Amino acid sequence: MKIRRFLAAACVALTASIAQAQDAPAPVAPLPTADQVAWQQLETYAFIHFGPNTFGDREWGYGDAPLESFNPTRLDCEQWARVCKAAGMKGIILTAKHHDGFCLWPTKYTDYSVRNTPYKDGKGDIVGELAAACRKHGLKLGLYLSPWDRHQAFYGTPLYVEYFRAQLNELLTQYGEIFEVWFDGANGGDGWYGGAKETRKIDRSTYYNYPSLWKLVGELQPHAILFSDAGPGCRWVGNENGYADATNWSFLRTKEVYPGYERYPELQYGHESGDKWVPSECNTSIRPGWFYHEREDEKVKSVDHLVDLYYRSVGHNGTFLLNFPVDKEGLIHPNDSANAVDFHKQVMSELKSNLLTKASVKASDTRGKAFSTKNLIDGVYDSYWATPDGVSTATLNIKLGKAQKLNRLMLSEYIPLGQRVRKFSVEYLSGKQWLPIKVGEATTTIGYKRLLRFPTVTTRQLRIRFEDSRGPLCINEIGAYYAPNGKSNYSEQTATLKGFDYKLQPSAAGEGQGETLVLDLGQVRTLRSLHYKPSSTGMVSNYEILAGESLDNLHAVASGEFSNIRNNPIMQDVYFAPINARYVMFRATRMVRDGEPIKYDQLIVK
């Protein structure tokens, strides 16, 4: 009996599939590949940043860290895998080589690698160890290979491009299947460069010959998704805060965008007029920094914050890439793992029970029996409700059977046929009156998945209006949920950092006075730190801090680089040996954008 029932169900499914194929809506380009669809279905996966920066308390290593400094004492890639799996993640992307040029695998092309460190007496291979752990725990492996290399003496020459290609070949042929290859957009600048200690600039759009690299990846790892600002597999979302815009197209104008794209904020919402399918990946770190810093042990993103980012990444037609800064022992810190696992549990609890699985759903227009509204709640990805050719607007009327509490709604387009919806709205029946559901953000695009949060309503009926679309509607799933403990919005509560009051000296009073600010504390105080939170413009890249009891007797107390400040404009904390001083000079030795005066949201001395 079970076999007959199974065969009967299979025949029904096959018949429906054939019927759909015969009368399916025409695709609306651009279209994803099958690999891009499978990649988006992963939804969440992990980043791991680990290397000499971990031991040198840096974000961007200069390329001069001594090899003997890299010595994790308890490194356990299986611990990484167990944490990520418990947090609901489907894969891990490892920074095999960051900008400092240090390689976490025993590459044959440079001595600046794990094989010349104390770790396992030079016999370690962290890429290989993670690959084995991912296979064991059912996770996919991705690799980050920084195009920029602040260590190599020949960076900026044609030889380096061949070197980079050779290393990419190693990584793609020695560690099994790779699901994503990550190329960072940070390229060119100051570095150690074999002791030259100079600034080197390259043409980001042409130097690396990216088309040839993409071709190489395609040959060696045909199913791998290629990440960069320009894709071609997926794109950076234009911020390092972990969210996409509510309006988010999976398209780019690829002739305009390149790795290191200057107009990167527009990547948060894509290009509706784009020529190629390049969906967004929303990356952020669970801590303020990407590499481990002990001072950030109590600054791990809260469960509520992570849940909010899930709704604004996966729920805004993107994927969510969450970074774990592995600590000096070689482990994911317990504060990080606890919040990541609890975040996953919270999301799963909020979206556990779809209240529409037994609802009556009727549409104002339907393409035919094979595309009926039953497909919206059958749990089958490749079935969908569609409207006839020429019909790009429609309404779904949903009867729940009884009054239900709701505060979450999910919509999903059938993206193998393209992304179509430009605008929609949702209403609920209150008594005899239809009222709008107030979601607090634009109800424009849907794409792979759109998740809406709103204050709890109680209703028997919902109405979804699709008001504008690029072609016939193709919606493959809808869901409504009630999250008793779920919040409809999130506001981050940050502790106020208190320091000494000061006045800006008249010669540098206020913004717009150049690249030096002089702070007068009014009296001599013992100072230990300066804290700088940048504005969106006037960002300081490299700095020097001087302090003293008088303006004609200032002493240098700190200098350095605010690594990655353009993409991750968080509070920058600079600590120095205690000094008694009345005056502090904060000088930019390099700005993110040349010629701009220093601006800041906060500038604090303590």
Side-chain angles (χ1 to χ4, degrees), residues 567-586:
N567 298 330
N568 193 27
I570 60 174
M571 181 73 82
Q572 308 291 322
D573 303 311
V574 182
Y575 296 90
F576 42 82
I579 183 173
N580 293 326
R582 172 176 172 173
Y583 298 94
V584 178
M585 179 181 289
F586 179 49

Side-chain angles (χ1 to χ4, degrees), residues 205-369:
S205 63
T206 62
Y207 174 60
Y208 300 102
N209 191 3
Y210 277 112
S212 73
L213 295 175
W214 296 337
K215 182 179 178 183
L216 178 65
V217 175
E219 292 170 352
L220 300 178
Q221 293 284 344
H223 299 295
I225 296 299
L226 272 158
F227 169 96
S228 77
D229 292 1
C234 67
R235 73 177 193 266
W236 180 44
V237 77
N239 66 68
E240 293 187 353
N241 299 318
Y243 62 84
D245 196 83
T247 301
N248 184 18
W249 293 99
S250 291
F251 320 143
L252 282 186
R253 295 188 291 269
T254 55
K255 293 180 181 178
E256 296 179 15
V257 186
Y258 54 86
Y261 187 52
E262 289 296 328
R263 301 200 304 273
Y264 59 89
E266 67 192 44
L267 300 178
Q268 294 177 142
Y269 42 85
H271 298 148
E272 183 180 354
S273 60
D275 59 275
K276 190 167 183 178
W277 188 279
V278 190
S280 58
E281 179 180 83
C282 305
N283 62 320
T284 195
S285 183
I286 201 166
R287 293 166 175 243
W290 289 89
F291 284 90
Y292 178 79
H293 309 287
E294 186 176 358
R295 63 181 177 273
E296 294 180 354
D297 283 352
E298 304 306 319
K299 296 182 179 180
V300 176
K301 284 182 172 63
S302 67
V303 172
D304 285 345
H305 192 169
L306 294 171
V307 169
D308 177 68
L309 292 180
Y310 176 85
Y311 282 97
R312 297 169 70 196
S313 56
V314 175
H316 280 179
N317 187 36
T319 61
F320 187 33
L321 176 59
L322 181 62
N323 178 65
F324 294 105
V326 168
D327 67 20
K328 293 180 180 180
E329 291 186 313
L331 302 172
I332 294 176
H333 194 278
N335 291 2
D336 305 37
S337 60
N339 283 15
V341 172
D342 287 345
F343 136 70
H344 172 61
K345 290 179 178 178
Q346 181 65 28
V347 169
M348 291 300 98
S349 69
E350 292 188 12
L351 303 176
K352 181 180 179 180
S353 300
N354 185 354
L355 301 175
L356 303 187
T357 54
K358 295 182 180 180
S360 170
V361 184
K362 293 185 178 181
S364 60
D365 241 318
T366 298
R367 192 175 189 87
K369 186 175 180 181

Side-chain angles (χ1 to χ4, degrees), residues 63 104 122 150 271 285 302 325 378 394 475 584 606:
L104 291 176
R150 302 173 97 178
H271 298 148
S285 183
S302 67
D378 64 0
I475 309 296
V584 178
K606 293 180 64 179

Side-chain angles (χ1 to χ4, degrees), residues 49-70:
H49 276 63
F50 184 61
N53 292 345
T54 306
F55 301 90
D57 198 25
R58 289 177 168 180
E59 279 291 289
W60 282 3
Y62 199 59
D64 60 350
L67 289 165
E68 58 269 21
S69 69
F70 184 83

